[in-house]
Amino acid sequence: MVFSLKKASLIKAADDTLHLAGLSLQGEAGNDLYVERQIDQPNAKHYEIFSETGSFKPEGYVVMNNIAVIEEGRETFEERFRNRAGLVESEPGFQAIRILRPLDDDTYVVMTVWDNEQSFKSWQTSKSYENAHKKQGTGAALATSIFPRPSYVTIFNSKG
């Protein structure tokens, strides 16, 4: 049985996107709109939602870890997320996580949504964060050769 994954789009906010329902994202680099469907807009980036947990509240603090992965490394990268511990979901202030598989380029997005910045920062100093990232810098970490360039983080405040 073949099933298709739910689609998502990330759009640079403009006047013609204001009518779309989704998460309105305000950040240092400007305003974006995240919608959980494919949108036909010239400035949209398209994804499949590879993994999702939780739901969005009317407001939140959104952290997007943008990770470029070469074609040959996608299966290994995705396998790591299939087998993740899932501890972030029980952290105070956690709302949702989306693992977004790119359809237009090579950059995955790991998006976590929190009630506020303090909830996110508290998670970063928690045992569950330490456990989730314990393989980094060890022989059990993903091979750095699957990452063609460094990852980067974008941060937004959202209104649903």
Side-chain angles (χ1 to χ4, degrees):
M1 176 178 186
V2 175
F3 67 95
S4 105
L5 296 175
K6 196 160 81 172
K7 305 286 191 220
S9 297
L10 189 59
I11 308 160
K12 284 290 176 202
D15 289 342
D16 62 345
T17 61
L18 295 177
H19 67 282
L20 299 171
L23 280 182
S24 176
L25 305 171
Q26 294 88 39
E28 288 182 11
N31 298 330
D32 288 5
L33 180 69
Y34 171 79
V35 293
E36 293 195 330
R37 63 184 190 281
Q38 191 155 334
I39 299 297
D40 186 23
Q41 291 281 332
N43 62 348
K45 288 188 174 186
H46 301 107
Y47 303 92
E48 290 178 321
I49 301 173
F50 169 76
S51 177
E52 67 178 305
T53 302
S55 58
F56 308 119
K57 294 180 182 176
E59 294 187 6
Y61 183 77
V62 180
V63 180
M64 293 186 181
N65 193 358
N66 302 270
I67 307 167
V69 178
I70 63 170
E71 186 68 35
E72 298 78 16
R74 284 180 165 220
E75 183 58 37
T76 302
F77 180 80
E78 291 180 10
E79 185 65 27
R80 179 62 55 97
F81 279 97
R82 277 188 207 96
N83 296 314
R84 69 185 185 85
L87 298 174
V88 67
E89 288 93 328
S90 62
E91 287 296 308
F94 171 84
Q95 290 183 23
I97 186 170
R98 300 291 188 270
I99 313 300
L100 305 175
R101 176 190 292 142
L103 298 176
D104 303 327
D105 59 27
D106 65 354
T107 304
Y108 284 77
V109 176
V110 179
M111 178 174 77
T112 56
V113 183
W114 302 86
D115 287 344
N116 51 51
E117 182 178 6
Q118 187 53 52
S119 296
F120 172 70
K121 289 185 179 220
S122 293
W123 172 67
Q124 286 186 302
T125 60
S126 72
K127 288 289 184 192
S128 66
Y129 181 91
E130 184 180 313
N131 188 49
H133 296 89
K134 68 183 176 189
K135 292 181 182 177
Q136 286 182 344
T138 71
L142 292 173
T144 57
S145 61
I146 72 168
F147 306 112
R149 58 192 171 279
S151 64
Y152 63 94
V153 173
T154 50
I155 296 174
F156 300 93
N157 287 299
S158 71
K159 295 194 184 296

